[in-house]
Amino acid sequence: MTRQQVVLSAVAALLLLLQLIAVSDARATKTSSKDDAFASLATRLKSLLSDKELEAQEDLNDELEIEKSAKYASRDGGLTKDQIKNVIHLHNKLRQGEGSSNMQRLHYSSKLAQLAQDWANGCSWGHRPHDSFQPSNYGFSSVGENIWAWSDDSKKIPDDPIMDWFNEKDYYVYDTASCQKEPCGHYTQVVWSSTRQIGCGIAKCGTLQNAGSQNAVYFVCNYGPGGNEFGKKPYTKGAGCSACSTGKFYCTNGLCDDSCTSAGSGGRCACKANCVHGTQTSDCKCKCKEGYMGVSCESECKDMDAQCGAGWPEMMCTKPIFSEDFMKQVIQQCPKMCKTCVSAKRADKERALLEYLEKMSEEKK
């Protein structure tokens, strides 16, 4: 739904509400039961209007990214606005159908789209070398990539390449996190749960180098953060949004949605926080009780490394004896020793750590 359609729907809902108010004033002699029915309907319409406004605001970032990508497309060739929207819609539809408890909803990134478009324009078949760009420039520690090519115009873009990638699911064995036949890494990237952003590019190549193809359509998508970590499964099976890895349990159509800032209703921005040993916060997170940890407060607080309290004394939680990175590792691996299991204590600890590092930085100057 475009922003214009959202606004028109909201206006229609408002006009209907005003009409009902006028009718209600003209029929002030009706029974209290009918008044209650009207009040209920009016409340629902107000809620509908609020939902539409919320949806318009939350889709704004995607719309802005699409607009930026459309500028690249007009300059360098690339996807149309409708094709970009299909990229997002089809990916999220396929991700929703996997039965995952921690699958993130994908949003569009004009930066990743430009990265993909630049590679497609080079008309060289194969994945981009890892050292040819800096993932941190795109806001991620890693960036994934899927590529596809076809030598005629008979294919539907972007549906056919995305479905070709997804259909590699037939070769993937979830229980062993392995491919019984190659390739299947395109599929696992499409449904990699922690991936949050996507950007795609397309080019028509008179000659597709390294493939020997003439007049080829070359389609490239980049994903942030990238997936396909060795030995890891692409997602965890379970009820949708029941184990969102970021700790925010806003949910849109069964997908964890970090773009939400407040709970809506229906299929958009519903809060699905299920705090096993804790309480739900106003921003749809879980605040754990003393002695518990995890995004849903599902686990008993415990240290995860035998060195905690032995080779690594408690003082390492607050002092970078070897290095700041090593201290961060100790804090991560020893939540019980460092007393970072409970959300409030973790926030206090992190704030104290930042203050300490800032002080150290000032002293070095």
Side-chain angles (χ1 to χ4, degrees):
M1 180 179 288
T2 65
R3 278 178 289 172
Q4 183 178 10
Q5 290 172 324
V6 168
V7 172
L8 289 175
S9 298
V11 170
L14 179 59
L15 291 174
L16 179 57
L17 177 60
L18 293 174
Q19 290 173 355
L20 287 172
I21 291 173
V23 171
S24 177
D25 289 341
R27 298 179 179 177
T29 59
K30 293 294 182 181
T31 64
S32 60
S33 63
K34 290 186 176 181
D35 288 341
D36 291 342
F38 168 75
S40 176
L41 179 59
T43 299
R44 176 70 193 100
L45 284 172
K46 287 178 181 177
S47 174
L48 176 62
L49 180 58
S50 297
D51 290 347
K52 291 298 182 183
E53 290 172 339
L54 182 65
E55 182 173 343
Q57 180 62 40
E58 287 163 354
D59 277 345
L60 183 59
N61 285 338
D62 273 338
E63 290 285 346
L64 290 174
E65 293 300 299
I66 290 171
E67 290 289 344
K68 291 178 185 177
S69 296
K71 291 181 181 179
Y72 296 142
S74 63
R75 185 186 69 194
D76 299 328
L79 299 173
T80 66
K81 288 184 182 180
D82 286 341
Q83 287 175 327
I84 292 172
K85 291 177 181 179
N86 282 344
V87 165
I88 303 172
H89 173 74
L90 185 52
H91 269 85
N92 282 329
K93 183 179 179 180
L94 295 172
R95 291 164 71 85
Q96 179 188 353
E98 290 297 273
S100 167
S101 62
N102 61 339
M103 189 75 74
Q104 289 285 331
R105 182 179 181 226
L106 289 189
H107 294 276
Y108 208 70
S109 165
S110 60
K111 285 187 175 181
L112 291 178
Q114 183 60 40
L115 183 69
Q117 188 62 53
D118 288 345
W119 186 247
N121 288 344
C123 290
S124 178
W125 175 252
H127 288 287
R128 180 195 311 269
H130 291 297
D131 59 357
S132 64
F133 73 104
Q134 290 294 329
S136 58
N137 291 340
Y138 301 87
F140 302 103
S141 59
S142 65
V143 171
E145 183 179 75
N146 277 352
I147 58 176
W148 178 95
W150 196 258
S151 294
D152 59 55
D153 294 327
S154 65
K155 297 293 185 178
K156 184 177 181 182
I157 305 295
D159 303 53
D160 285 336
I162 294 172
M163 289 308 303
D164 279 352
W165 295 334
F166 181 78
N167 287 336
E168 291 177 5
K169 181 177 182 177
D170 293 341
Y171 310 144
Y172 182 71
V173 183
Y174 181 88
D175 291 339
T176 59
S178 62
C179 300
Q180 65 179 0
K181 179 182 175 182
E182 296 288 352
C184 71
H186 301 98
Y187 157 72
T188 50
Q189 177 59 86
V190 169
V191 298
W192 199 265
S193 61
S194 60
T195 298
R196 302 187 306 276
Q197 293 186 11
I198 184 175
C200 302
I202 189 172
K204 290 188 176 181
C205 301
T207 299
L208 185 60
Q209 302 171 44
N210 303 324
S213 300
Q214 304 297 315
N215 300 318
V217 177
Y218 195 17
F219 183 69
V220 180
C221 286
N222 285 126
Y223 301 80
N228 294 339
E229 295 180 44
F230 181 75
K232 290 188 177 181
K233 296 178 180 179
Y235 58 85
T236 301
K237 293 182 179 180
C241 304
S242 62
C244 298
S245 58
T246 61
K248 281 181 74 173
F249 291 91
Y250 288 126
C251 188
T252 296
N253 297 325
L255 299 174
C256 303
D257 194 348
D258 283 353
S259 73
C260 298
T261 56
S262 60
S265 63
R268 186 168 185 82
C269 291
C271 182
K272 297 292 186 178
N274 179 24
C275 307
V276 182
H277 297 288
T279 55
Q280 179 182 316
T281 63
S282 59
D283 57 350
C284 198
K285 296 181 180 179
C286 288
K287 181 178 180 180
C288 300
K289 294 179 181 178
E290 186 78 33
Y292 291 94
M293 59 189 289
V295 290
S296 298
C297 307
E298 72 280 6
S299 303
E300 184 178 351
C301 181
K302 60 182 179 181
D303 294 329
M304 292 171 279
D305 196 296
Q307 294 294 318
C308 302
W312 300 343
E314 187 175 343
M315 63 183 297
M316 285 188 171
C317 298
T318 55
K319 295 182 178 181
I321 295 176
F322 297 113
S323 69
E324 292 171 2
D325 286 340
F326 188 79
M327 183 174 68
K328 292 177 182 178
Q329 180 184 343
V330 171
I331 293 173
Q332 182 180 14
Q333 294 297 314
C334 308
K336 186 174 183 179
M337 181 182 78
C338 295
K339 301 179 177 62
T340 58
C341 292
V342 179
S343 299
K345 288 187 177 180
R346 180 182 301 136
D348 293 340
K349 181 69 70 176
E350 289 175 347
R351 184 161 51 252
L353 174 60
L354 287 174
E355 290 174 355
Y356 177 83
L357 293 177
E358 288 174 357
K359 182 179 178 181
M360 291 287 290
S361 178
E362 289 296 324
E363 289 178 354
K364 289 178 181 178
K365 292 179 181 178

